[in-house]
Amino acid sequence: MAKQQTEVRELQEGSYVMIDDTPCKINSYSTAKPGKHGSAKARVEAEGVFDGKKRSLSQPVDAKIWVPIIERKNGQVVSVDGDDMQIMDLETYETITMRIPDDVDVSPDENIEYLEMEDQRKIV
Amino acid sequence: MFPGATDEREGPDTRGRESDRGGANFVVVGAPLDATTTFQPGTRFGPRRIRSFAEPFDDYDHRTDRYFSELGVFDRGDVRAWNDVSAYLEYLTSALREAVWNDAVPLTLGGEHTVSLAGARAVKPDVFVCLDAHLDLYDEYDGTSLSHAAVTRRIVDDVESVEEAIVLGARTGSEPEWERAADDDVTVVPPEAVGEWTPDDRLEDREVYLSVDIDAADPGYAPGTGTMEPFGLEPRELRDVVRTVAPHAGGFDVVEVNDRDDGQAAALAAKLVREFVFSHADG
C-alpha cells in the first residue's frame, strides 16, 4: 500500500491518515496540553475514505504514524453500462471501469475528479 | 479506577488474551476541570474522590438483581485538564465521542459543570435533563460564556440537537436567568416538586443526556461542592430521578464534587453513578 510515515503532530483536519490499516480523512484534530508527566497527546477523528466508517485514534504528538498516498485524478466518462462506467484517465489515457455511486449521475464525455489509492477509487 | 469497572491497563489473562474494551457498555471518563469554579474551588479532585468513595459499595444490587462488575463498565481514567477551557472541551468531546461511536454510554466524573457541554456535544441529545441547585443559564459569567454558571445555557442554545432542557431542583438564579428559564425550551422543576415529578412520555423515543450537579442535593447531604445552596433535594429524590431517566439516557455525568467535606458529596455522586448504570442496564 502506498503510504509514508510522519509524526502525529503533522496531521491536520482535511488531510489523510491510516487508522486500523484503513485510509481515512481527518474530520477533527485536537491536542491535550502535557502536564509534568507524559507527553502531549492528540486525538484524531476520521472517516474511511473508501468505506465511510468513522474511526478515532489517540496518540502522543511525537508518535510515528502512516499517511496514505492518495492521488487526485481527472478522468472522462467514456461510456456508461448499467451500474458501471468506463473512465479514461486524462493524464495516462488509460481506461478503467468504476462502479457508479448511488448518489452520482454521470453521462458520457463528462469530466470527473476521483481519488485513487492502488485499486480503490472514489469520485470526489 | 472506579470500583467494579475494568481497566484497559489490565494485563493479558491466563490465555494471553488482551482485555477488550470494545465490548464496553459504559465508559467512565474523569474530567477534573477546575477553571471557572466560583466561591470554593476543588473540582479537580472530584474524579478521584468519587472513585475512592465508591469502594465500600457492594457489587451486587438487590433491586435489579445485577452485579455492577458484570455490566461492562470500563474506566479509561481521566482526561487531564488544563486552563484553556475551549480547547479542553474540544479534546474531552472527542474522547467521549469515541465511547458513543463504540455504542457505549459515557459516564463523566467532573470536574466543574462546564464539562457537561462536552458530554452533550458527544451524545447529541434531544433533551438535556439536569439536577441542579442553579439554573446555570447565564449567557456569560465573569466574562466567559464557557463557565460552570452558563453551562445549561450553552447546551440549550448552542448544541444543535438539543430541543429542550429540564432542570430539576433549581432554587436560585439571576433575574435574566429566570427570564430565559421562562422560555418554552426550558422547564424548571422546583425542589418541592421533584419528588412528584415524572417525565410521562416526554422522553419516549428521544435521545436524552442526564447531568447531576451534586449541589442539587441539600448542602447538609453534599457539603463537598463549590456553591452550596440550602433548601435542596433529599438524596433519595436524586436517586429516583436518576432511576427514572437512566433507561432513556445515552450519556450521564455527575459534576461539581470537590474535596471540602468528609466524602459525603463524593459518596452520593458515586452511588448515583451506580444507580444510573443499574437502571440503564435494567432498561
Side-chain angles (χ1 to χ4, degrees):
Chain A
M1 186 177 290
K3 56 187 183 181
Q4 60 192 33
Q5 206 170 39
T6 184
E7 285 190 349
V8 169
R9 74 172 88 243
E10 303 297 330
L11 300 174
Q12 51 188 320
E13 284 168 27
S15 68
Y16 299 107
V17 65
M18 297 296 288
I19 304 179
D20 302 337
D21 290 330
T22 309
C24 297
K25 187 174 183 178
I26 298 171
N27 297 328
S28 136
Y29 176 89
S30 51
T31 50
K33 291 283 174 290
K36 293 185 177 181
H37 313 287
S39 60
K41 273 201 165 172
R43 287 194 53 84
V44 171
E45 292 176 13
E47 202 171 287
V49 175
F50 301 107
D51 67 1
K53 193 176 163 202
K54 289 179 171 163
R55 296 176 176 87
S56 62
L57 67 83
S58 174
Q59 293 273 356
V61 292
D62 54 0
K64 296 276 189 287
I65 195 148
W66 290 102
V67 171
I69 297 168
I70 296 176
E71 288 189 82
R72 201 180 185 96
K73 294 188 149 191
N74 290 305
Q76 188 177 52
V77 180
V78 178
S79 64
V80 176
D81 179 19
D83 292 339
D84 292 330
M85 57 185 171
Q86 297 277 313
I87 302 289
M88 182 175 70
D89 185 317
L90 291 176
E91 271 178 39
T92 64
Y93 302 116
E94 174 191 6
T95 305
I96 46 177
T97 303
M98 278 170 78
R99 176 59 51 99
I100 304 172
D102 291 341
D103 53 349
V104 175
D105 201 14
V106 292
S107 49
D109 297 331
E110 195 179 330
N111 285 354
I112 59 161
E113 264 191 301
Y114 61 97
L115 301 175
E116 182 177 270
M117 183 178 161
E118 292 173 343
D119 55 357
Q120 296 188 93
R121 297 178 186 88
K122 186 191 176 188
I123 293 184
V124 180
Chain B
M1 191 173 67
F2 197 94
T6 56
D7 176 349
E8 74 176 334
R9 288 183 294 274
E10 286 172 346
D13 67 8
T14 49
R15 296 186 199 167
R17 292 178 306 194
E18 293 290 337
S19 61
D20 172 27
R21 63 172 173 146
N25 301 317
F26 303 91
V27 178
V28 174
V29 180
L33 184 66
D34 196 355
T36 75
T37 44
T38 46
F39 193 51
Q40 294 184 316
T43 53
R44 65 193 57 195
F45 302 113
R48 79 176 66 163
R49 293 276 287 186
I50 294 168
R51 289 185 179 104
S52 173
F53 282 90
E55 279 179 38
F57 300 147
D58 281 304
D59 193 17
Y60 179 68
D61 181 60
H62 182 60
R63 181 180 65 95
T64 57
D65 190 28
R66 290 173 185 276
Y67 285 87
F68 186 83
S69 60
E70 292 177 358
L71 296 177
V73 183
F74 165 75
D75 189 341
R76 76 174 299 288
D78 289 359
V79 174
R80 184 186 165 274
W82 64 99
N83 281 348
D84 183 340
V85 177
S86 175
Y88 177 67
L89 291 179
E90 194 179 329
Y91 191 85
L92 178 62
T93 301
S94 181
L96 298 174
R97 200 149 43 207
E98 184 178 346
V100 174
W101 284 1
N102 289 328
D103 296 325
V105 177
L107 309 172
T108 307
L109 311 179
E112 62 176 75
H113 205 165
T114 321
V115 302
S116 295
L117 181 54
R121 285 173 176 171
V123 171
K124 297 181 181 164
D126 304 310
V127 191
F128 177 67
V129 181
C130 178
L131 282 152
D132 199 336
H134 308 86
L135 293 172
D136 287 352
L137 287 169
Y138 278 96
D139 196 25
E140 214 178 62
Y141 193 87
D142 282 348
T144 176
S145 59
L146 294 175
S147 162
H148 77 145
V151 65
T152 300
R153 180 71 173 265
R154 290 284 71 73
I155 289 169
V156 78
D157 278 5
D158 300 350
V159 178
E160 207 173 317
S161 63
V162 174
E163 295 161 359
E164 62 169 321
I166 302 170
V167 186
L168 300 140
R171 47 200 182 267
T172 184
S174 61
E175 192 176 354
E177 285 181 283
W178 284 108
E179 284 168 8
R180 180 65 184 84
D183 291 343
D184 289 346
D185 57 355
V186 179
T187 304
V188 178
V189 181
E192 57 274 20
V194 168
E196 299 299 310
W197 178 79
T198 161
D200 297 320
D201 57 357
R202 267 172 91 172
L203 306 182
E204 293 303 323
D205 302 318
R206 297 174 86 189
E207 184 70 81
V208 178
Y209 186 90
L210 175 60
S211 173
V212 177
D213 182 331
I214 207 68
D215 69 24
D218 190 84
Y221 298 110
T225 193
T227 47
M228 287 181 269
E229 189 70 30
F231 313 137
L233 298 175
E234 300 280 328
R236 282 196 290 263
E237 290 174 326
L238 279 96
R239 180 200 66 186
D240 291 349
V241 169
V242 169
R243 284 181 179 177
T244 300
V245 177
H248 304 280
F252 175 76
D253 65 53
V254 59
V255 296
E256 295 284 336
V257 172
N258 68 22
D259 61 332
R260 292 170 176 258
D261 66 3
D262 294 322
Q264 298 94 317
L268 178 57
K271 198 71 184 174
L272 292 172
V273 170
R274 287 169 45 101
E275 285 291 338
F276 179 91
V277 168
F278 286 124
S279 300
H280 184 90
D282 218 37

